Amino acid sequence: MLITAARVLAGPDRHVVADGSVLVREGVLAAVGPREEVERQARPDEPRLDFPAGTVLPGLIDAHVHLCFDADRTP
């Protein structure tokens, strides 16, 4: 899947790539960078998502947990 956006925050240093893309293959980040560069690596039939005014944070995993909420009916 090719994901394009106005901005991509790349790497732990939060480097901003304007007009960037992320290429994901089999659930793994295959490429991150400027749209033109990453699009060259995508297959012609690659599924695409475009966020022209958005920001993409590749690799961000929502791993937060609410330890006080155990799904029980008691507070």
Side-chain angles (χ1 to χ4, degrees):
M1 174 172 291
L2 180 67
I3 304 166
T4 60
R7 292 164 302 282
V8 174
L9 297 183
D13 62 353
R14 299 180 188 150
H15 174 73
V16 177
V17 177
D19 193 26
S21 291
V22 177
L23 181 61
V24 181
R25 292 217 174 108
E26 297 180 22
V28 176
L29 296 175
V32 176
R35 179 190 308 243
E36 188 175 291
E37 181 181 311
V38 176
E39 280 184 334
R40 277 184 263 151
Q41 299 175 51
R43 296 183 298 262
D45 63 339
E46 197 83 57
R48 295 170 185 250
L49 293 174
D50 187 35
F51 301 98
T55 301
V56 175
L57 289 84
L60 178 67
I61 298 171
D62 182 6
H64 80 279
V65 64
H66 297 268
L67 297 176
C68 61
F69 298 118
D70 62 2
D72 191 348
R73 291 188 183 267
T74 59

